[in-house]
Amino acid sequence: MFGLAPPWLLSDRGTPVADALVLSHPEQLERLRSACPRAAPTAVLAGDPCFDRILAARTRRKRFRRALGVRPGQRLVLLNSTWNSESLFGDGTEVPGDGWCGGDVVAALLDRVADEFPVDEYRFAAVLHPNIWHGHGPGQIRAWLDRARRGGMALIDPLTGWRQALLAADAVIGDHGSVTYYAAALGTPVLLGAVPLHALDPDAPVSAFMREAPRLDPDASLSAQIGELIRCHRPLPGPAEFTTSVPGESAARLRRLFYSMMGAPEPDRPATLEPLPLPGYEAGTVTVPLQVLTRVLGPGEIAVSRWTGARPGTGPDPAGELHVAVHEDTREVDRLELADVIFREGEPDDPRFGSPSIWTAEVLRRHPGCSLAAYVTGPSECLVRVRGEEPLRMVAVPDAGAEDVAGTDPAAYASALYAWLAAEGREAFAAHARAVAEELVLRTGGRLHRVRVVPLSPSGSAG
């Protein structure tokens, strides 16, 4: 049993190497007494400070989601892997009776994420064990995940950011590692992509969890599995019960232990743990070409779905009209000449681009096949220019009582306007552009977003 067997706990003379062995649950003490009885007298039940920090930060979930660029209505799916060959990120194979263990699971997952999940409805992030980074090197890890990262996936710092990402997640695809078990202890839906039961102590709580938790079916639609996982989720009681038997008490118990070992009196102030810091902002900018599927649902109402894969959705013949939207900083520079919409984001007064109005005019001159250019100036607005027309400002209209104005990426506004123009024709567009404060309604997944379209005055400000 990893961590509880004599090779880890006893010296060459057969004596315990530690003065105190901290355990989080009495269940661990029973297994310790069975596996290494000589070390049992050193055991101290002191809870789990890592899990206590997570529990204390639950109220900051919305902030952590914003820090990861998760917009209202988006689902955050976390890919998590521990470090050995039979992990989600490992190179193992299918084990009879266990199910899939590692191998090409991650590569297949990333391909399915690109093909099956619209970027305006889902955000993905990956938490990889520090030993994966150490074993392969940061450059190799980033190279393997390069396209996924350019498709909007966040690569989480394995030491400082994983707890916050775990709190922010709506679902986790993981393996037998501790992060996946922590997710289940929090009540987060978990789908197991690697299940090496043969490598686990059959009496350990993690082994029971691996037998009971839903497993990834490599031959079925991933988006359907995630939808079903979230919709039908019922937390398993085991992880929450066995992660710690004394939630919230680890700081006090550990300090008491440390001062008693030093033979010093404890301070009279309460023992506390350091709060989880707010991570830096991860915008989730998508620079791979986007396949955009649009449908005009009614006057001024457009459904927009955008994918980073080779084709949108999983059906052979998706309903609606397709166009291509490409970020100006894409690595696939040849796709810029095929783009219907070209976009970028930046500060409105960034001198490198002159101004959003100047940039949009330059883009349309440089790429004659492009019909519309969009400069995203903030989380809920952008400036767009249709070829042959004056620029327009598009800004989200906040819903009554909404906590966040930004409902979806403003680059999606540009694709909605392009689809409306393609359906209604230029004459209707010209009339639309002359009407101040006209609105479009976007639908992304099950959410509606109202966007005001405002012509600019000759000075470049909204009229």
Side-chain angles (χ1 to χ4, degrees), residues 62 66 399 401-405:
K62 288 185 178 179
R66 292 191 194 106
D399 292 330
E403 296 183 6
D404 294 283
V405 175

Side-chain angles (χ1 to χ4, degrees), residues 349-390:
D349 56 353
D350 190 330
R352 295 174 298 174
F353 304 111
S355 70
S357 181
I358 291 173
W359 178 86
T360 54
E362 288 178 350
V363 165
L364 292 176
R365 284 197 302 270
R366 189 178 303 122
H367 303 285
C370 178
S371 297
L372 187 151
Y375 188 105
V376 176
T377 55
S380 59
E381 63 181 274
C382 63
L383 183 138
V384 301
R385 186 189 294 268
V386 176
R387 184 173 297 280
E389 301 290 345
E390 293 300 313

Side-chain angles (χ1 to χ4, degrees), residues 98-245:
D98 278 6
W100 191 261
C101 300
D104 293 329
V105 173
V106 169
L109 282 178
L110 296 180
D111 287 342
R112 291 186 179 192
V113 166
D115 283 342
E116 296 186 31
F117 292 89
V119 298
D120 297 304
E121 299 172 41
Y122 286 88
R123 177 93 159 94
F124 280 79
V127 171
L128 306 180
H129 193 284
N131 284 355
I132 296 177
W133 290 86
H134 177 75
H136 297 290
Q140 182 63 76
I141 296 299
R142 292 190 177 96
W144 279 333
L145 299 179
D146 175 68
R147 194 184 191 283
R149 293 170 62 219
R150 290 187 290 117
M153 189 184 77
L155 191 52
I156 305 299
D157 185 290
L159 298 179
T160 63
W162 67 268
R163 300 170 186 86
Q164 297 89 324
L166 201 58
L167 283 166
D170 294 294
V172 172
I173 301 176
D175 52 25
H176 58 295
S178 59
V179 175
T180 302
Y181 197 74
Y182 278 136
L186 286 170
T188 304
V190 170
L191 189 65
L192 296 177
V195 191
L197 288 173
H198 68 284
L200 302 175
D201 174 10
D203 296 325
V206 67
S207 183
F209 165 67
M210 298 289 283
R211 291 192 296 269
E212 297 172 2
R215 301 186 185 186
L216 172 70
D217 182 351
D219 298 320
S221 163
L222 179 60
S223 60
Q225 291 182 72
I226 291 295
E228 179 76 6
L229 176 73
I230 295 174
R231 185 168 54 254
C232 301
H233 176 59
R234 297 291 184 274
L236 295 172
E241 177 185 352
F242 289 109
T243 295
T244 175
S245 61

Side-chain angles (χ1 to χ4, degrees), residues 245-260:
S245 61
V246 286
E249 298 183 24
S250 63
R253 288 176 175 246
L254 286 171
R255 192 178 72 174
R256 186 181 312 126
L257 169 65
F258 299 153
Y259 275 84
S260 68

Side-chain angles (χ1 to χ4, degrees), residues 71 375-384 392-399 404-414 417 432 436-442 449-456 462-463:
R71 293 176 174 270
Y375 188 105
V376 176
T377 55
S380 59
E381 63 181 274
C382 63
L383 183 138
V384 301
L392 300 167
R393 179 171 172 258
M394 302 185 73
V395 58
V397 179
D399 292 330
D404 294 283
V405 175
T408 192
D409 178 8
Y413 308 170
L417 183 61
H432 180 84
V436 176
E438 189 74 23
E439 285 186 4
L440 287 179
V441 178
L442 279 69
H449 317 276
R450 293 185 299 135
V451 179
R452 184 174 293 115
V453 184
V454 184
L456 299 190

